[in-house]
Amino acid sequence: MGTSRHDRPARRTVLVAAGCALVSVGVLLLGGAGGEAAAGLPEAGGTAWWVTVAGLLAQALALCWSRVHPRAVLLAVGLVPVAAALAGGRDATSLTTLAVVVGVYVAGTTHPLRGLVPTLAAVAVLMTVAGTIAAVDGGLEPWPALGVAALQATSTLGLVLLVTSWVAALRESGRAREDERRALVREHEALVQAALDRERTAMARELHDIAAHHLSGIAIAASALERQVATDPDGAREAARQVRRQSTSVLRDLRSLVGLLRDRDGGGGARPETLGGIADLVADVVAIGREVTWTVRGDASAADREVGPLAQLAAYRVVREALANAGRHAPGAACTVTLDARDPAEVTLVVRNGPAVGEPDPVAGGGFGLVGMRERAGLTGARVDAGPTGDGGWEVRLVLPREREAP
């Protein structure tokens, strides 16, 4: 059965283990070449020398799995100093401490230190035993040798654990910052997606308004054209001109909308969608054969000055949508559009239609209609009320606040 990927030594760990072996064995070779007295190391070729070399190589081999099996590796590298000391390695025993230090560092930076406490305590005991044996072989009394060995083991492991804890804290802080960055990226992506969804909804409403207004006019003009083509050629030609005019208008408005989406100029020839443009809107509807009356009460020019541009745009769109709805749901009904600018605090627009004369459009549905009207009005501080009238018709009332400049 093959070895699991997670049980294989990492390449970086293998390189660290090889470097550790190269350093410790190199020091042993250089020291042993000068004889037994050189730095207290065993003479090259002797039993203690070979045991120490074998122990150093065994430690390097064990370190290759220090990330995968940290406890077993720490115990293995901790036993080697004891074996080297028992074989008479004396000062060469300190060379085996390098692998112990590397093993503790690797284990502490890749695994929680809390779970390694018992193993680290056992390693400290093994290092103390090995240091005591080596010191006694060097001529030191047992109890002083034990004290020195214990001090060396605890100070070495303590320093390594201090560095390991600091590195682990830095890594944990880095992971926390990365997690925070990813969370911020996800939040930003969610906000962008929500903004895109709102833009798609707004674009759908704009397309609905444009298409509903102009296509309803085209349908009415085409119906008149069908009836007049044989009996009233002049009227049929006029209806054809209205179809062409409405088709041109819908293409112009769609082009303007696409231009806005591309962050370009919407077209210098487009009619401004303001309160003043509502009269032209009504004229276009009358031109296709519908009965619509435009009435102004009060000072319309003052209303143009004192109602904000966004509110005027919303008013224009609401009137256009209300007339389109009247054409679909109440064909043949007379309509009135009234601009009341007599109130010094607000301007009121009322679109009213009577009961239907013909059959309503069978494909006319709820769409965005009233929802879009109310949302547009709400964005500018205006309000929309819509509902049936007593004679069976329908009324849409839009109230726009005035924006007077402070003296």
Side-chain angles (χ1 to χ4, degrees):
M1 188 167 62
T3 303
S4 172
R5 179 182 178 183
H6 297 288
D7 293 335
R8 299 173 184 173
R11 180 179 179 182
R12 181 182 301 177
T13 309
V14 172
L15 293 177
V16 171
C20 181
L22 183 63
V23 171
S24 56
V25 173
V27 172
L28 181 64
L29 290 175
L30 291 176
E36 184 178 357
L41 299 177
E43 183 179 359
T47 303
W49 189 87
W50 282 112
V51 170
T52 304
V53 171
L56 294 175
L57 295 178
Q59 282 182 322
L61 182 63
L63 285 178
C64 295
W65 281 269
S66 57
R67 292 176 180 267
V68 184
H69 305 291
R71 296 175 182 82
V73 169
L74 287 177
L75 291 176
V77 297
L79 286 171
V80 170
V82 177
L86 291 175
R90 292 187 298 174
D91 290 349
T93 305
S94 59
L95 296 177
T96 60
T97 305
L98 177 61
V100 176
V101 170
V102 173
V104 171
Y105 176 82
V106 173
T109 54
T110 55
H111 297 79
L113 285 175
R114 182 178 300 177
L116 299 175
V117 169
T119 305
L120 292 174
V123 171
V125 171
L126 292 174
M127 291 180 64
T128 301
V129 171
T132 302
I133 295 174
V136 170
D137 287 346
L140 198 62
E141 294 295 325
W143 289 112
L146 177 61
V148 171
L151 180 61
Q152 290 179 343
T154 54
S155 59
T156 301
L157 289 181
L159 181 60
V160 175
L161 290 176
L162 181 63
V163 174
T164 301
S165 300
W166 179 66
V167 173
L170 289 180
R171 291 182 178 178
E172 186 64 28
S173 177
R175 284 193 292 267
R177 287 194 299 269
E178 181 64 19
D179 292 342
E180 182 180 5
R181 186 191 66 81
R182 291 176 181 174
L184 291 175
V185 169
R186 289 193 296 268
E187 181 182 3
H188 176 70
E189 291 176 350
L191 292 175
V192 169
Q193 187 60 44
L196 290 176
D197 292 341
R198 289 194 299 270
E199 290 299 322
R200 291 191 186 101
T201 302
M203 183 171 64
R205 288 174 179 165
E206 293 297 328
L207 291 174
H208 169 270
D209 290 350
I210 292 172
H213 172 68
H214 292 293
L215 294 181
S216 62
I218 292 173
I220 293 173
S223 177
L225 177 63
E226 183 181 10
R227 293 193 304 268
Q228 296 170 346
V229 67
T231 59
D232 186 6
D234 292 336
R237 282 192 291 272
E238 178 61 25
R241 284 192 291 272
Q242 292 298 331
V243 170
R244 184 171 61 253
R245 186 180 299 113
Q246 290 291 329
S247 301
T248 303
S249 297
V250 70
L251 289 175
R252 181 196 63 207
D253 289 346
L254 289 175
R255 190 180 300 115
S256 176
L257 176 60
V258 173
L260 289 174
L261 293 176
R262 292 178 178 175
D263 197 22
R264 295 179 180 175
D265 184 9
R271 180 180 59 216
E273 297 180 345
T274 62
L275 292 179
I278 296 177
D280 295 332
L281 175 64
V282 172
D284 288 344
V285 176
V286 172
I288 63 175
R290 293 178 58 185
E291 184 181 351
V292 182
T293 303
W294 167 244
T295 304
V296 177
R297 296 173 182 170
D299 188 357
S301 61
D304 287 336
R305 293 192 305 270
E306 297 173 1
V307 174
L310 292 180
Q312 293 194 43
L313 173 61
Y316 185 95
R317 302 288 178 87
V318 167
V319 171
R320 184 174 66 184
E321 175 70 13
L323 290 175
N325 287 342
R328 290 195 305 271
H329 297 283
C335 297
T336 60
V337 181
T338 304
L339 173 65
D340 190 346
R342 294 174 296 180
D343 193 318
E346 58 191 22
V347 176
T348 302
L349 272 166
V350 179
V351 182
R352 181 195 295 264
N353 64 267
V357 176
E359 290 295 328
D361 186 352
V363 298
F368 292 113
L370 292 176
V371 175
M373 292 181 188
R374 292 193 174 98
E375 287 195 1
R376 285 197 184 94
L379 290 174
T380 59
R383 65 180 186 273
V384 171
D385 296 317
T389 59
D391 60 355
W394 189 268
E395 179 183 282
V396 176
R397 180 179 295 270
L398 172 66
V399 179
L400 303 165
R402 293 179 186 260
E403 297 179 358
R404 294 183 179 273
E405 295 183 359

